[in-house]
């Protein structure tokens, strides 16, 4: 589900964060796949909005990860993709003085990616 913003400030904070989050997610997925038994292939999607999915395969197992949903999970506090029309809260620990807090962003991204691969 696409997130809903409570106010203009939340929208502006998400604008600051989403591109850096996307970059860190892709890079951390690449790093994890380099040392994993899983193979990854990116696929472009158009619905419900343009984006990418990562198709992970290992033996006869297949897992599909929505890259935007991963980004939302990092950007927002307690984001749950299965709840429609939820209002989101920005994880403000990722922003310092209206700029990206790169250390916090990297730390949270690594944690989310590590958790995903631990549960595959």
């Amino acid at each position: 589900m696409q997130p809903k913003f409570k106010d203009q400030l939340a929208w502006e904070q998400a604008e600051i964060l989403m591109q850096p989050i996307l970059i860190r997610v892709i890079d951390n997925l690449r790093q994890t796949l380099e040392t994993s038994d899983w193979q990854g292939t990116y696929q472009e999607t158009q619905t419900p909005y343009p984006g990418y999915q990562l198709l992970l395969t290992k033996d006869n197992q297949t897992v599909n990860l929505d890259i935007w949903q991963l980004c939302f999970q990092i950007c927002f506090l307690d984001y749950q993709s299965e709840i429609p029309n939820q209002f989101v809260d920005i994880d403000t620990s990722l922003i310092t003085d209206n700029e990206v807090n790169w250390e916090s962003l990297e730390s949270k991204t690594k944690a989310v990616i590590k958790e995903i691969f631990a549960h595959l």
Side-chain angles (χ1 to χ4, degrees):
M1 288 282 130
Q2 194 166 7
K4 291 180 76 174
F5 298 96
K6 292 180 180 179
D7 54 31
Q8 185 64 29
L9 176 60
W11 172 262
E12 291 168 2
Q13 290 171 325
E15 278 189 310
I16 291 169
L17 290 170
M18 286 306 291
Q19 183 179 17
I21 289 171
L22 176 62
I23 292 166
R24 297 314 316 139
V25 163
I26 298 297
D27 191 49
N28 275 276
L29 285 169
R30 177 193 56 78
Q31 290 174 18
T32 302
L33 285 170
E34 286 176 354
T35 60
S36 171
D37 293 338
W38 291 88
Q39 300 296 314
T41 305
Y42 287 97
Q43 299 176 334
E44 197 170 344
T45 62
Q46 295 301 318
T47 56
Y49 38 81
Y52 292 94
Q53 294 185 349
L54 176 61
L55 181 64
L56 297 171
T57 55
K58 180 177 106 175
D59 302 327
N60 359 348
Q61 292 181 290
T62 302
V63 177
N64 202 8
L65 299 177
D66 183 317
I67 301 300
W68 282 126
Q69 294 302 314
L70 290 175
C71 292
F72 295 160
Q73 189 176 348
I74 294 164
C75 188
F76 310 125
L77 295 172
D78 302 319
Y79 179 74
Q80 298 175 26
S81 62
E82 64 278 357
I83 299 176
N85 299 316
Q86 73 172 309
F87 283 97
V88 293
D89 292 312
I90 303 292
D91 183 348
T92 56
S93 72
L94 304 176
I95 299 175
T96 304
D97 297 326
N98 280 333
E99 296 203 11
V100 176
N101 180 334
W102 290 98
E103 188 175 306
S104 292
L105 174 58
E106 184 67 15
S107 179
K108 187 171 183 183
T109 303
K110 283 185 183 297
V112 168
I113 301 296
K114 182 178 179 179
E115 183 178 327
I116 287 168
F117 274 81
H119 290 98
L120 291 176

Short mmCIF file of all heavy atoms in Angstrom, two decimals, residues 42-94:
data_model
loop_
_atom_site.label_atom_id
_atom_site.label_comp_id
_atom_site.label_asym_id
_atom_site.label_seq_id
_atom_site.Cartn_x
_atom_site.Cartn_y
_atom_site.Cartn_z
N TYR A 42 16.41 -8.14 -10.54
CA TYR A 42 15.47 -7.03 -10.42
C TYR A 42 14.49 -7.06 -11.58
O TYR A 42 14.86 -7.37 -12.72
CB TYR A 42 16.21 -5.69 -10.41
CG TYR A 42 16.94 -5.45 -9.12
CD1 TYR A 42 18.28 -5.74 -8.99
CD2 TYR A 42 16.25 -4.95 -8.01
CE1 TYR A 42 18.94 -5.54 -7.78
CE2 TYR A 42 16.91 -4.75 -6.81
CZ TYR A 42 18.25 -5.04 -6.70
OH TYR A 42 18.89 -4.85 -5.51
N GLN A 43 13.23 -6.72 -11.27
CA GLN A 43 12.19 -6.66 -12.28
C GLN A 43 11.45 -5.35 -12.12
O GLN A 43 11.11 -4.95 -10.99
CB GLN A 43 11.21 -7.82 -12.11
CG GLN A 43 11.85 -9.18 -12.27
CD GLN A 43 10.89 -10.31 -12.00
OE1 GLN A 43 9.92 -10.17 -11.28
NE2 GLN A 43 11.16 -11.45 -12.61
N GLU A 44 11.19 -4.69 -13.23
CA GLU A 44 10.43 -3.44 -13.21
C GLU A 44 8.96 -3.75 -13.07
O GLU A 44 8.45 -4.71 -13.66
CB GLU A 44 10.69 -2.68 -14.51
CG GLU A 44 10.30 -1.23 -14.43
CD GLU A 44 10.78 -0.45 -15.64
OE1 GLU A 44 11.65 -0.93 -16.39
OE2 GLU A 44 10.27 0.64 -15.83
N THR A 45 8.27 -2.95 -12.26
CA THR A 45 6.82 -3.12 -12.08
C THR A 45 6.11 -1.81 -12.41
O THR A 45 6.70 -0.74 -12.36
CB THR A 45 6.47 -3.52 -10.63
OG1 THR A 45 6.88 -2.48 -9.75
CG2 THR A 45 7.15 -4.81 -10.23
N GLN A 46 4.83 -1.92 -12.71
CA GLN A 46 4.04 -0.72 -13.01
C GLN A 46 2.85 -0.56 -12.07
O GLN A 46 2.25 0.52 -12.03
CB GLN A 46 3.53 -0.78 -14.45
CG GLN A 46 4.64 -0.73 -15.49
CD GLN A 46 5.48 0.51 -15.40
OE1 GLN A 46 4.95 1.61 -15.20
NE2 GLN A 46 6.77 0.37 -15.51
N THR A 47 2.49 -1.61 -11.36
CA THR A 47 1.33 -1.51 -10.48
C THR A 47 1.70 -1.91 -9.06
O THR A 47 2.53 -2.81 -8.89
CB THR A 47 0.18 -2.43 -10.96
OG1 THR A 47 0.69 -3.75 -11.06
CG2 THR A 47 -0.39 -1.99 -12.29
N PRO A 48 1.21 -1.34 -8.03
CA PRO A 48 0.23 -0.25 -8.07
C PRO A 48 0.86 1.09 -8.43
O PRO A 48 0.17 2.07 -8.65
CB PRO A 48 -0.34 -0.24 -6.65
CG PRO A 48 0.77 -0.76 -5.81
CD PRO A 48 1.51 -1.75 -6.67
N TYR A 49 2.20 1.14 -8.49
CA TYR A 49 2.91 2.33 -8.93
C TYR A 49 4.25 1.87 -9.49
O TYR A 49 4.72 0.77 -9.17
CB TYR A 49 3.10 3.35 -7.79
CG TYR A 49 3.40 2.72 -6.46
CD1 TYR A 49 4.68 2.29 -6.13
CD2 TYR A 49 2.38 2.50 -5.53
CE1 TYR A 49 4.94 1.68 -4.92
CE2 TYR A 49 2.64 1.89 -4.32
CZ TYR A 49 3.92 1.48 -4.01
OH TYR A 49 4.19 0.87 -2.82
N PRO A 50 4.86 2.66 -10.36
CA PRO A 50 6.14 2.22 -10.95
C PRO A 50 7.19 1.96 -9.88
O PRO A 50 7.29 2.68 -8.89
CB PRO A 50 6.55 3.41 -11.83
CG PRO A 50 5.29 4.13 -12.10
CD PRO A 50 4.42 3.95 -10.87
N GLY A 51 7.94 0.90 -10.08
CA GLY A 51 8.97 0.55 -9.12
C GLY A 51 9.71 -0.70 -9.54
O GLY A 51 9.69 -1.09 -10.71
N TYR A 52 10.35 -1.31 -8.56
CA TYR A 52 11.13 -2.52 -8.82
C TYR A 52 10.86 -3.55 -7.76
O TYR A 52 10.55 -3.23 -6.61
CB TYR A 52 12.62 -2.21 -8.83
CG TYR A 52 13.04 -1.36 -9.99
CD1 TYR A 52 13.11 0.01 -9.87
CD2 TYR A 52 13.33 -1.94 -11.22
CE1 TYR A 52 13.47 0.80 -10.95
CE2 TYR A 52 13.69 -1.17 -12.30
CZ TYR A 52 13.76 0.21 -12.16
OH TYR A 52 14.11 0.98 -13.23
N GLN A 53 10.99 -4.80 -8.18
CA GLN A 53 10.94 -5.92 -7.26
C GLN A 53 12.23 -6.69 -7.42
O GLN A 53 12.82 -6.71 -8.50
CB GLN A 53 9.74 -6.81 -7.55
CG GLN A 53 8.43 -6.13 -7.28
CD GLN A 53 7.25 -7.07 -7.45
OE1 GLN A 53 7.38 -8.17 -7.96
NE2 GLN A 53 6.09 -6.62 -7.02
N LEU A 54 12.65 -7.30 -6.33
CA LEU A 54 13.81 -8.16 -6.36
C LEU A 54 13.32 -9.58 -6.22
O LEU A 54 12.71 -9.94 -5.21
CB LEU A 54 14.78 -7.80 -5.23
CG LEU A 54 16.01 -8.71 -5.10
CD1 LEU A 54 16.86 -8.67 -6.37
CD2 LEU A 54 16.83 -8.28 -3.90
N LEU A 55 13.57 -10.38 -7.24
CA LEU A 55 13.20 -11.79 -7.22
C LEU A 55 14.41 -12.57 -6.72
O LEU A 55 15.45 -12.58 -7.36
CB LEU A 55 12.82 -12.26 -8.63
CG LEU A 55 12.38 -13.70 -8.77
CD1 LEU A 55 11.10 -13.96 -7.99
CD2 LEU A 55 12.20 -14.05 -10.23
N LEU A 56 14.25 -13.17 -5.54
CA LEU A 56 15.32 -13.96 -4.93
C LEU A 56 15.04 -15.44 -5.19
O LEU A 56 13.91 -15.90 -5.00
CB LEU A 56 15.38 -13.71 -3.43
CG LEU A 56 15.72 -12.29 -2.99
CD1 LEU A 56 15.53 -12.14 -1.49
CD2 LEU A 56 17.14 -11.95 -3.38
N THR A 57 16.06 -16.16 -5.61
CA THR A 57 15.92 -17.59 -5.84
C THR A 57 17.07 -18.35 -5.21
O THR A 57 18.21 -17.88 -5.19
CB THR A 57 15.86 -17.93 -7.35
OG1 THR A 57 17.01 -17.39 -7.98
CG2 THR A 57 14.62 -17.38 -7.99
N LYS A 58 16.73 -19.52 -4.67
CA LYS A 58 17.72 -20.44 -4.11
C LYS A 58 17.10 -21.83 -4.16
O LYS A 58 16.01 -22.04 -3.64
CB LYS A 58 18.06 -20.06 -2.67
CG LYS A 58 19.09 -20.98 -2.03
CD LYS A 58 19.44 -20.50 -0.65
CE LYS A 58 18.80 -21.42 0.36
NZ LYS A 58 19.18 -21.10 1.74
N ASP A 59 17.81 -22.76 -4.80
CA ASP A 59 17.27 -24.10 -5.00
C ASP A 59 15.90 -23.98 -5.66
O ASP A 59 15.77 -23.39 -6.71
CB ASP A 59 17.24 -24.88 -3.69
CG ASP A 59 18.63 -24.98 -3.06
OD1 ASP A 59 19.62 -25.05 -3.82
OD2 ASP A 59 18.72 -24.96 -1.81
N ASN A 60 14.83 -24.52 -5.06
CA ASN A 60 13.49 -24.35 -5.65
C ASN A 60 12.67 -23.30 -4.92
O ASN A 60 11.48 -23.24 -5.11
CB ASN A 60 12.67 -25.64 -5.71
CG ASN A 60 13.31 -26.86 -5.19
OD1 ASN A 60 14.49 -26.88 -4.94
ND2 ASN A 60 12.55 -27.90 -5.05
N GLN A 61 13.30 -22.49 -4.12
CA GLN A 61 12.59 -21.42 -3.41
C GLN A 61 12.66 -20.12 -4.19
O GLN A 61 13.68 -19.79 -4.80
CB GLN A 61 13.22 -21.17 -2.04
CG GLN A 61 13.05 -22.27 -1.04
CD GLN A 61 13.70 -21.89 0.26
OE1 GLN A 61 14.93 -21.84 0.34
NE2 GLN A 61 12.89 -21.60 1.26
N THR A 62 11.56 -19.36 -4.15
CA THR A 62 11.49 -18.05 -4.77
C THR A 62 10.81 -17.09 -3.81
O THR A 62 9.78 -17.40 -3.23
CB THR A 62 10.69 -18.11 -6.09
OG1 THR A 62 11.31 -19.05 -6.96
CG2 THR A 62 10.64 -16.77 -6.76
N VAL A 63 11.42 -15.92 -3.64
CA VAL A 63 10.86 -14.87 -2.80
C VAL A 63 10.90 -13.58 -3.59
O VAL A 63 11.89 -13.27 -4.25
CB VAL A 63 11.67 -14.72 -1.49
CG1 VAL A 63 11.14 -13.58 -0.65
CG2 VAL A 63 11.68 -16.01 -0.70
N ASN A 64 9.81 -12.82 -3.52
CA ASN A 64 9.72 -11.56 -4.24
C ASN A 64 9.68 -10.41 -3.25
O ASN A 64 8.81 -10.38 -2.38
CB ASN A 64 8.45 -11.57 -5.11
CG ASN A 64 8.53 -10.60 -6.24
OD1 ASN A 64 9.57 -10.01 -6.50
ND2 ASN A 64 7.42 -10.42 -6.92
N LEU A 65 10.63 -9.49 -3.34
CA LEU A 65 10.68 -8.33 -2.45
C LEU A 65 10.33 -7.06 -3.23
O LEU A 65 10.91 -6.79 -4.27
CB LEU A 65 12.08 -8.16 -1.86
CG LEU A 65 12.63 -9.29 -1.01
CD1 LEU A 65 14.06 -8.97 -0.57
CD2 LEU A 65 11.74 -9.52 0.20
N ASP A 66 9.39 -6.30 -2.71
CA ASP A 66 9.02 -5.02 -3.29
C ASP A 66 9.99 -3.97 -2.75
O ASP A 66 10.02 -3.70 -1.55
CB ASP A 66 7.58 -4.67 -2.92
CG ASP A 66 7.10 -3.40 -3.56
OD1 ASP A 66 7.85 -2.40 -3.59
OD2 ASP A 66 5.94 -3.39 -4.02
N ILE A 67 10.78 -3.37 -3.62
CA ILE A 67 11.82 -2.43 -3.19
C ILE A 67 11.21 -1.20 -2.52
O ILE A 67 11.72 -0.73 -1.50
CB ILE A 67 12.71 -2.02 -4.39
CG1 ILE A 67 13.38 -3.25 -5.00
CG2 ILE A 67 13.73 -0.96 -3.98
CD1 ILE A 67 14.28 -4.02 -4.06
N TRP A 68 10.09 -0.67 -3.05
CA TRP A 68 9.47 0.49 -2.40
C TRP A 68 8.98 0.15 -0.99
O TRP A 68 9.11 0.96 -0.08
CB TRP A 68 8.33 1.05 -3.24
CG TRP A 68 8.78 1.88 -4.39
CD1 TRP A 68 8.43 1.71 -5.70
CD2 TRP A 68 9.67 3.00 -4.38
NE1 TRP A 68 9.06 2.65 -6.48
CE2 TRP A 68 9.82 3.45 -5.70
CE3 TRP A 68 10.37 3.67 -3.37
CZ2 TRP A 68 10.63 4.55 -6.04
CZ3 TRP A 68 11.18 4.76 -3.70
CH2 TRP A 68 11.29 5.18 -5.02
N GLN A 69 8.45 -1.06 -0.82
CA GLN A 69 7.98 -1.43 0.52
C GLN A 69 9.16 -1.49 1.50
O GLN A 69 9.01 -1.12 2.67
CB GLN A 69 7.23 -2.77 0.48
CG GLN A 69 5.93 -2.71 -0.29
CD GLN A 69 4.95 -1.68 0.25
OE1 GLN A 69 4.73 -1.59 1.44
NE2 GLN A 69 4.37 -0.90 -0.64
N LEU A 70 10.32 -1.95 1.03
CA LEU A 70 11.51 -1.93 1.88
C LEU A 70 11.89 -0.50 2.24
O LEU A 70 12.23 -0.20 3.39
CB LEU A 70 12.69 -2.61 1.18
CG LEU A 70 12.62 -4.11 1.01
CD1 LEU A 70 13.81 -4.59 0.18
CD2 LEU A 70 12.60 -4.80 2.35
N CYS A 71 11.83 0.37 1.25
CA CYS A 71 12.16 1.79 1.50
C CYS A 71 11.18 2.41 2.50
O CYS A 71 11.59 3.14 3.40
CB CYS A 71 12.15 2.57 0.19
SG CYS A 71 13.47 2.13 -0.95
N PHE A 72 9.90 2.10 2.33
CA PHE A 72 8.89 2.62 3.26
C PHE A 72 9.15 2.11 4.67
O PHE A 72 9.00 2.84 5.65
CB PHE A 72 7.48 2.23 2.82
CG PHE A 72 7.03 2.82 1.52
CD1 PHE A 72 5.99 2.23 0.82
CD2 PHE A 72 7.63 3.93 0.96
CE1 PHE A 72 5.55 2.74 -0.39
CE2 PHE A 72 7.20 4.47 -0.25
CZ PHE A 72 6.16 3.87 -0.92
N GLN A 73 9.53 0.86 4.78
CA GLN A 73 9.80 0.26 6.09
C GLN A 73 10.94 0.99 6.78
O GLN A 73 10.95 1.13 8.01
CB GLN A 73 10.14 -1.22 5.90
CG GLN A 73 10.23 -2.01 7.15
CD GLN A 73 10.49 -3.49 6.87
OE1 GLN A 73 10.38 -3.96 5.74
NE2 GLN A 73 10.83 -4.21 7.90
N ILE A 74 11.90 1.48 6.03
CA ILE A 74 13.03 2.21 6.60
C ILE A 74 12.64 3.65 6.90
O ILE A 74 12.96 4.18 7.96
CB ILE A 74 14.24 2.14 5.66
CG1 ILE A 74 14.73 0.69 5.59
CG2 ILE A 74 15.36 3.08 6.10
CD1 ILE A 74 15.66 0.38 4.45
N CYS A 75 11.93 4.28 5.99
CA CYS A 75 11.58 5.69 6.12
C CYS A 75 10.59 5.96 7.26
O CYS A 75 10.69 6.97 7.93
CB CYS A 75 11.00 6.20 4.81
SG CYS A 75 10.74 7.99 4.74
N PHE A 76 9.66 5.05 7.45
CA PHE A 76 8.55 5.29 8.38
C PHE A 76 8.66 4.40 9.62
O PHE A 76 9.19 3.31 9.57
CB PHE A 76 7.21 5.04 7.69
CG PHE A 76 7.09 5.74 6.37
CD1 PHE A 76 6.78 5.05 5.22
CD2 PHE A 76 7.30 7.11 6.27
CE1 PHE A 76 6.67 5.69 3.99
CE2 PHE A 76 7.19 7.77 5.06
CZ PHE A 76 6.88 7.06 3.91
N LEU A 77 8.11 4.90 10.71
CA LEU A 77 8.05 4.14 11.95
C LEU A 77 6.89 3.16 11.88
O LEU A 77 5.78 3.53 11.48
CB LEU A 77 7.86 5.07 13.14
CG LEU A 77 9.00 6.04 13.44
CD1 LEU A 77 8.57 7.02 14.52
CD2 LEU A 77 10.25 5.29 13.84
N ASP A 78 7.14 1.92 12.26
CA ASP A 78 6.09 0.90 12.34
C ASP A 78 5.25 0.79 11.07
O ASP A 78 4.03 0.62 11.14
CB ASP A 78 5.17 1.17 13.55
CG ASP A 78 5.95 1.21 14.84
OD1 ASP A 78 6.85 0.37 15.01
OD2 ASP A 78 5.67 2.09 15.68
N TYR A 79 5.88 0.88 9.92
CA TYR A 79 5.15 0.79 8.66
C TYR A 79 4.70 -0.65 8.43
O TYR A 79 5.49 -1.58 8.56
CB TYR A 79 6.03 1.25 7.49
CG TYR A 79 5.32 1.13 6.17
CD1 TYR A 79 4.32 2.03 5.83
CD2 TYR A 79 5.63 0.12 5.28
CE1 TYR A 79 3.65 1.92 4.64
CE2 TYR A 79 4.97 0.00 4.07
CZ TYR A 79 3.98 0.90 3.75
OH TYR A 79 3.31 0.79 2.56
N GLN A 80 3.43 -0.81 8.10
CA GLN A 80 2.87 -2.13 7.82
C GLN A 80 2.16 -2.06 6.47
O GLN A 80 1.10 -1.44 6.35
CB GLN A 80 1.90 -2.54 8.92
CG GLN A 80 2.59 -2.66 10.27
CD GLN A 80 1.62 -2.96 11.38
OE1 GLN A 80 0.56 -3.51 11.15
NE2 GLN A 80 1.99 -2.58 12.59
N SER A 81 2.74 -2.70 5.49
CA SER A 81 2.24 -2.60 4.11
C SER A 81 0.82 -3.15 3.94
O SER A 81 0.12 -2.74 3.02
CB SER A 81 3.18 -3.31 3.16
OG SER A 81 3.27 -4.68 3.46
N GLU A 82 0.41 -4.05 4.81
CA GLU A 82 -0.90 -4.66 4.64
C GLU A 82 -2.05 -3.80 5.17
O GLU A 82 -3.21 -4.14 4.98
CB GLU A 82 -0.94 -6.05 5.30
CG GLU A 82 -0.76 -6.05 6.79
CD GLU A 82 0.69 -5.98 7.26
OE1 GLU A 82 1.60 -5.99 6.44
OE2 GLU A 82 0.90 -5.91 8.48
N ILE A 83 -1.75 -2.68 5.81
CA ILE A 83 -2.80 -1.80 6.33
C ILE A 83 -3.09 -0.72 5.29
O ILE A 83 -2.25 0.15 5.04
CB ILE A 83 -2.39 -1.16 7.67
CG1 ILE A 83 -2.15 -2.24 8.71
CG2 ILE A 83 -3.47 -0.19 8.14
CD1 ILE A 83 -1.64 -1.72 10.03
N PRO A 84 -4.28 -0.74 4.67
CA PRO A 84 -4.60 0.26 3.66
C PRO A 84 -4.84 1.64 4.28
O PRO A 84 -5.34 1.76 5.40
CB PRO A 84 -5.87 -0.27 3.01
CG PRO A 84 -6.47 -1.19 4.01
CD PRO A 84 -5.35 -1.71 4.86
N ASN A 85 -4.45 2.65 3.54
CA ASN A 85 -4.69 4.05 3.91
C ASN A 85 -4.15 4.45 5.28
O ASN A 85 -4.72 5.31 5.95
CB ASN A 85 -6.19 4.36 3.84
CG ASN A 85 -6.73 4.15 2.45
OD1 ASN A 85 -6.11 4.56 1.47
ND2 ASN A 85 -7.87 3.49 2.35
N GLN A 86 -3.08 3.82 5.71
CA GLN A 86 -2.51 4.20 7.00
C GLN A 86 -1.72 5.50 6.87
O GLN A 86 -1.06 5.75 5.88
CB GLN A 86 -1.62 3.09 7.55
CG GLN A 86 -0.28 2.93 6.83
CD GLN A 86 0.63 1.95 7.52
OE1 GLN A 86 0.85 2.06 8.72
NE2 GLN A 86 1.15 1.01 6.77
N PHE A 87 -1.82 6.33 7.89
CA PHE A 87 -0.99 7.52 7.96
C PHE A 87 0.36 7.10 8.53
O PHE A 87 0.43 6.28 9.44
CB PHE A 87 -1.64 8.59 8.85
CG PHE A 87 -2.76 9.31 8.16
CD1 PHE A 87 -4.07 8.92 8.37
CD2 PHE A 87 -2.50 10.36 7.30
CE1 PHE A 87 -5.11 9.58 7.73
CE2 PHE A 87 -3.54 11.02 6.65
CZ PHE A 87 -4.85 10.62 6.87
N VAL A 88 1.41 7.65 7.97
CA VAL A 88 2.75 7.23 8.37
C VAL A 88 3.43 8.30 9.20
O VAL A 88 3.14 9.48 9.09
CB VAL A 88 3.62 6.92 7.13
CG1 VAL A 88 3.09 5.69 6.41
CG2 VAL A 88 3.70 8.10 6.19
N ASP A 89 4.33 7.83 10.06
CA ASP A 89 5.18 8.71 10.85
C ASP A 89 6.60 8.54 10.34
O ASP A 89 7.11 7.41 10.27
CB ASP A 89 5.13 8.33 12.34
CG ASP A 89 3.77 8.62 12.95
OD1 ASP A 89 3.26 9.74 12.74
OD2 ASP A 89 3.23 7.73 13.64
N ILE A 90 7.24 9.64 10.01
CA ILE A 90 8.61 9.62 9.53
C ILE A 90 9.53 9.21 10.68
O ILE A 90 9.34 9.65 11.82
CB ILE A 90 9.03 11.01 9.01
CG1 ILE A 90 8.11 11.48 7.90
CG2 ILE A 90 10.49 11.03 8.57
CD1 ILE A 90 8.19 10.70 6.63
N ASP A 91 10.52 8.39 10.40
CA ASP A 91 11.54 8.07 11.39
C ASP A 91 12.50 9.26 11.42
O ASP A 91 13.42 9.36 10.61
CB ASP A 91 12.27 6.79 11.02
CG ASP A 91 13.29 6.37 12.07
OD1 ASP A 91 13.61 7.20 12.96
OD2 ASP A 91 13.79 5.24 11.98
N THR A 92 12.25 10.17 12.35
CA THR A 92 13.03 11.41 12.40
C THR A 92 14.47 11.19 12.87
O THR A 92 15.27 12.12 12.78
CB THR A 92 12.34 12.46 13.29
OG1 THR A 92 12.13 11.90 14.59
CG2 THR A 92 11.01 12.90 12.68
N SER A 93 14.81 9.99 13.32
CA SER A 93 16.20 9.71 13.66
C SER A 93 17.06 9.67 12.39
O SER A 93 18.28 9.74 12.46
CB SER A 93 16.35 8.39 14.42
OG SER A 93 16.14 7.29 13.56
N LEU A 94 16.41 9.61 11.23
CA LEU A 94 17.11 9.57 9.96
C LEU A 94 17.39 10.97 9.40
O LEU A 94 18.01 11.10 8.36
CB LEU A 94 16.31 8.77 8.93
CG LEU A 94 15.94 7.34 9.31
CD1 LEU A 94 15.07 6.71 8.24
CD2 LEU A 94 17.19 6.51 9.57
#
